[in-house]
Amino acid sequence: MAEALRILLVDDDPDDRALAIHALRREFSELEVEEVADAAGFAAALEAGRFNAAVIDYRLRWGDGLSVLRAIKARYPDRPVVMFTGTGTEAVAVEAMKAGLDDYVVKAPQHVARLPVALRRALERAEAARRAEVAEAARRASEERFRLLAEVAQDIAIVMLDPAGRVAEWNAGAQAVFGYRAEEVIGEHFGIFRTPEDRAAGLPEQELEQVAREGRAEDDNWLVRKDGGRFWASGLTIGLRNGGPRGFAKIVRDQTEQRRAQEALEARARQQAAVAELGQRALATRDLVALMDEAVAVVARTLGVEHARVLELRPDEQLLLRAGVGWRAGAVGRATVEGGTSSQAGYTLLVHGPVVSEDLGAEGRFRVPTLLLEHGVVSAASVVIHDHDRPYGVLSAETTQRRDFTADDVHFLQAVANVLAAAVRRREFEERLAQERGETGRLAELNRLRGEFVASVSHELRTPLTALRAAFGMVEQSGADRLEPEERDLLVNGRRNAERLSRLIEDLLAHNQLEAGVVEINRERLDLRQVVADAVASVHPLIHQKGQELRIDLPAPLPVEGDAHRLEHVAVNLLANAHQHTPPGTVIAVSGAVADGEVRLVVADDGPGVPAEELMAVFKRFHRPRSAEGGGSGLGLAIAKGLVELHGGRIWAESAAGGGVVFHVVLPRPPIEAEG
């Protein structure tokens, strides 16, 4: 409900007061009138001040309207006063206006209707003036707070620009960020902070045009310091107005370290993914030469270097180039380097640890071999490939550009070397067993060594992966709200890749346990629908990201007795198989039912399908259909088959009539009394 308008009516004629009240009530429905007819009443009303506006007569028996006007304006200068009189003159009206009178209405029948109109206009002008004053006070306070912030901010550049984009004010933070002193930069166009290519493209002018249209502009881009160095910055530019353009305020924060940290996190994720893929390949092949060729290719590609190599330590202490990328034709298998301090590789074996050289030309710890000089190598990193009695050799990465290899780069290089070392040890054991033991003993020992190898590779993968997942979690919990949308997308993708690596490692361990016959099944009564729901929660983000559709049709309970974790592993692998080997737009459908004393689960897709002759082979370890898309361990379906059979069930695949593949899982239904 609107607040009533309170009027102070000063007039000693009761008839005139009644006339004025009648006219005002016709315009203002909510009206309270305080009538004053003498000096005492006016003094009391003035002291109380319970009115929004005043209507006064000029001629009063106890005074005059000018004195009343001046008294009201002296006490309440912002409250409107309208003079309603029949005795004033033009001179009186002029003098009253000079004293602050808001309007003047002649007390005559033809002019009475103007009284409420004049009062309303006076009230509207007063309200507009009040709002303008409040806005101006807020603006002054805001500018004062902004100036105080600009004075104390040491790591945030706050730059005031005039309407033409020239620097007008420069805080201490701006000097720290850009390197200019105030006297060096004031008067310069702010475009000097942009890169030459940005200036050539007219981006500074476009930024001011956007602010003029929208009031603000935000961006993340490379800016330039006084010394010419570039840094990654987050910027906000806002327009300043007070009736017209007054210029701009530009706020800049150096985000270079945050960007580097994010890039390092992404690089670490790529490195761990590469190690995981190489570990799977090491399990799948016994060809050590092929594995080393793949390892150096992975190192070069992942670290972004031109050269990588595996050097084998020979009995004469020289190192033979056993595998390499980027070296001259004929070097692999023939080129050698001296050991000890005659080469970085020799020095790596000498100190028995990683060696990084940012500038080989200034290196004083060892000499640079001719092979590296021929290829213009500037920077290099190397690690030991360990073996039982003596090192197998050295794994290294080299580049023709000056580079400071990071700790993460070295850890990645060592992880690859450890995978190679495990493969070397496996080959040595296989050769020894072939000479000393019969076929039965050889197979048993190979199985044992394979288990050790899987455990070794899994350890090399899980230890850094655990740290990586923890790092993603820390960033997500403590700093996700400060990240830009693009950075948050990178964080989500990085974490999703880390979870994918975790599932690959779980596949490796599960396969090893199945082969060794040591899988434990902890049976309990459960509803297979919940198992499927948990599996869907794990895989659905990948399906959604690829543009595939997942349909679930499980209306009725699916009672089974089994290990929830192992059965979830089965469901995850079936869903992941459908996701990985079908294109975007594929529909993946999950259904289930109880029939003939069995619980049936079906996972189907409408993708390209699998040739009939390959259907029986899809459950073999490391099998990949010829038409397959995407990656995968090649173990998922083999693991699913093993776990289903441990539950007393069956699993098979069929080609769908309209295209695609249908996987059937059948598990025993528990006795009726056990379900309830």
Side-chain angles (χ1 to χ4, degrees):
M1 183 175 180
E3 186 178 354
L5 175 63
R6 297 186 297 275
I7 297 296
L8 177 65
L9 180 57
V10 183
D11 197 321
D12 52 14
D13 186 330
D15 293 335
D16 288 347
R17 293 201 301 271
L19 179 65
I21 292 172
H22 178 73
L24 292 173
R25 287 197 186 281
R26 294 178 64 182
E27 177 72 18
F28 302 102
S29 58
E30 298 293 333
L31 182 67
E32 295 178 5
V33 180
E34 183 178 359
E35 300 181 48
V36 173
D38 53 38
F42 175 67
L46 193 65
E47 181 66 28
R50 293 188 297 270
F51 59 91
N52 305 114
V55 176
I56 64 174
D57 193 6
Y58 173 69
R59 179 167 293 177
L60 303 166
R61 288 189 293 273
W62 44 273
D64 65 80
L66 286 176
S67 299
V68 171
L69 171 64
R70 292 188 179 102
I72 293 174
K73 288 295 185 179
R75 192 76 172 267
Y76 308 108
D78 57 338
R79 299 187 187 182
V81 179
V82 175
M83 186 171 286
F84 184 51
T85 183
T87 57
T89 64
E90 184 176 347
V92 170
V94 171
E95 187 173 354
M97 289 295 182
K98 291 180 180 178
L101 185 68
D102 292 273
D103 212 337
Y104 185 95
V105 178
V106 177
K107 195 184 293 182
Q110 67 270 29
H111 296 302
V112 171
R114 279 199 63 246
L115 177 60
V117 176
L119 181 60
R120 180 173 293 282
R121 289 176 178 172
L123 288 168
E124 290 173 350
R125 289 195 298 270
E127 176 63 17
R130 184 192 67 79
R131 290 180 178 176
E133 184 176 351
V134 169
E136 177 62 18
R139 184 190 65 78
R140 289 195 298 268
S142 177
E143 288 192 357
E144 181 61 23
R145 289 193 298 270
F146 188 82
R147 292 184 187 280
L148 289 174
L149 174 63
E151 290 175 3
V152 300
Q154 295 298 313
D155 60 345
I156 300 176
I158 301 178
V159 184
M160 309 298 291
L161 307 176
D162 66 15
R166 294 184 293 267
V167 177
E169 295 185 36
W170 186 256
N171 78 325
Q175 180 171 336
V177 170
F178 288 101
Y180 292 96
R181 297 191 305 276
E183 59 269 21
E184 294 176 315
V185 76
I186 288 179
E188 296 288 340
H189 192 272
F190 84 106
I192 65 171
F193 310 133
R194 300 298 291 263
T195 62
E197 50 269 32
D198 284 355
R199 293 198 299 271
L203 295 188
E205 292 74 18
Q206 294 175 26
E207 180 180 343
L208 297 187
E209 291 171 0
Q210 180 183 349
V211 176
R213 289 192 312 271
E214 305 173 12
R216 60 188 287 138
E218 298 181 54
D219 59 4
D220 294 329
N221 50 32
W222 291 105
L223 297 182
V224 181
R225 305 185 201 275
K226 176 184 175 181
D227 61 7
R230 298 189 179 194
F231 66 99
W232 185 256
S234 292
L236 168 65
T237 305
I238 58 176
L240 304 176
R241 304 182 67 85
N242 182 22
R246 295 180 54 246
F248 308 89
K250 186 169 184 64
I251 303 171
V252 175
R253 186 160 194 170
D254 186 347
Q255 297 288 331
T256 306
E257 290 304 317
Q258 291 86 336
R259 180 182 174 90
R260 286 175 179 167
Q262 185 65 33
E263 289 176 344
L265 201 61
E266 289 298 313
R268 196 183 310 169
R270 290 193 299 271
Q271 291 171 0
Q272 295 305 321
V275 173
E277 295 290 344
L278 186 65
Q280 295 172 41
R281 179 56 57 194
L283 286 174
T285 183
R286 293 182 179 178
D287 188 341
L288 186 59
V289 173
L291 182 63
M292 288 185 176
D293 288 339
E294 185 166 349
V296 292
V298 165
V299 167
R301 182 172 61 250
T302 305
L303 293 182
V305 296
E306 303 96 319
H307 308 283
R309 56 184 179 160
V310 172
L311 293 161
E312 180 184 358
L313 180 61
R314 300 198 309 190
D316 61 1
E317 300 302 320
Q318 285 194 329
L319 291 135
L320 173 66
L321 181 58
R322 178 60 66 187
V325 168
W327 308 105
R328 57 176 165 77
V332 175
R334 298 179 182 177
T336 60
V337 297
E338 298 293 327
T341 58
S342 296
S343 64
Q344 180 172 344
Y347 185 75
T348 303
L349 295 175
L350 195 63
V351 300
H352 206 67
V355 175
V356 174
S357 180
E358 184 178 353
D359 184 2
L360 289 171
E363 189 57 66
R365 296 171 294 177
F366 49 82
R367 292 189 293 277
V368 181
T370 303
L371 181 66
L372 301 189
L373 294 175
E374 289 176 352
H375 290 81
V377 172
V378 175
S379 302
S382 53
V383 297
V384 177
I385 303 174
H386 299 280
D387 203 353
H388 289 301
D389 302 328
R390 68 197 297 264
Y392 172 82
V394 172
L395 174 67
S396 65
E398 293 86 7
T399 175
T400 59
Q401 306 295 320
R402 184 161 182 157
R403 172 170 173 175
D404 183 12
F405 288 91
T406 66
D408 286 340
D409 295 338
V410 174
H411 291 158
F412 163 69
L413 205 59
Q414 188 64 67
V416 173
N418 291 345
V419 171
L420 292 178
V424 169
R425 288 195 293 270
R426 183 179 70 171
R427 186 195 65 175
E428 292 174 349
F429 277 121
E430 288 175 347
E431 292 175 349
R432 188 182 309 164
L433 287 172
Q435 296 174 358
E436 298 177 356
R437 305 181 64 176
E439 184 64 21
T440 301
R442 186 183 72 84
L443 292 175
E445 187 64 10
L446 282 176
N447 281 332
R448 184 185 68 79
L449 291 173
R450 182 179 58 191
E452 291 181 356
F453 177 68
V454 170
S456 173
V457 171
S458 298
H459 173 74
E460 294 300 329
L461 300 179
R462 295 182 85 176
T463 300
L465 181 58
T466 300
L468 177 63
R469 294 171 69 187
F472 276 122
M474 290 175 63
V475 172
E476 192 172 42
Q477 293 175 11
S478 64
D481 58 338
R482 297 192 299 270
L483 297 178
E484 295 297 327
E486 182 183 0
E487 295 171 329
R488 284 195 294 271
D489 291 342
L490 291 173
L491 179 63
V492 170
N493 288 334
R495 183 159 189 175
R496 185 176 297 134
N497 285 331
E499 295 297 336
R500 172 176 171 269
L501 294 183
S502 180
R503 287 195 295 273
L504 289 176
I505 294 172
E506 290 296 325
D507 275 354
L508 291 176
L509 293 176
H511 176 262
N512 191 49
Q513 292 172 347
L514 284 168
E515 288 290 303
V518 295
V519 176
E520 294 182 3
I521 301 296
N522 299 313
R523 295 182 181 273
E524 59 178 329
R525 289 191 297 272
L526 51 89
D527 188 342
L528 196 58
R529 293 182 301 175
Q530 184 58 50
V531 172
V532 172
D534 293 339
V536 166
S538 174
V539 180
H540 188 262
L542 298 174
I543 293 174
H544 177 73
Q545 183 184 34
K546 194 174 180 181
Q548 298 165 325
E549 181 181 352
L550 182 60
R551 298 177 182 173
I552 308 296
D553 182 21
L554 300 173
L558 301 175
V560 297
E561 263 189 9
D563 188 319
H565 175 70
R566 302 296 187 183
L567 291 175
E568 180 184 345
H569 201 160
V570 172
V572 166
N573 284 5
L574 290 176
L575 290 170
N577 177 77
H579 156 68
Q580 290 167 354
H581 300 312
T582 59
T586 297
V587 175
I588 301 171
V590 181
S591 60
V594 177
D596 301 326
E598 297 178 320
V599 174
R600 301 174 181 271
L601 183 69
V602 177
V603 178
D605 65 71
D606 59 359
V610 175
E613 64 272 15
E614 288 190 39
L615 284 174
M616 294 299 295
V618 296
F619 295 101
K620 293 182 179 180
R621 60 180 183 172
F622 305 117
H623 174 79
R624 296 170 189 253
R626 291 192 299 272
S627 60
E629 295 184 15
S633 65
L635 296 173
L637 295 180
I639 291 169
K641 183 175 186 294
L643 293 177
V644 168
E645 290 175 350
L646 284 176
H647 281 81
R650 311 186 306 280
I651 183 172
W652 70 93
E654 296 176 347
S655 293
V661 181
V662 182
F663 285 89
H664 299 267
V665 175
V666 176
L667 296 171
R669 179 180 181 179
I672 300 298
E673 59 271 18
E675 296 177 23

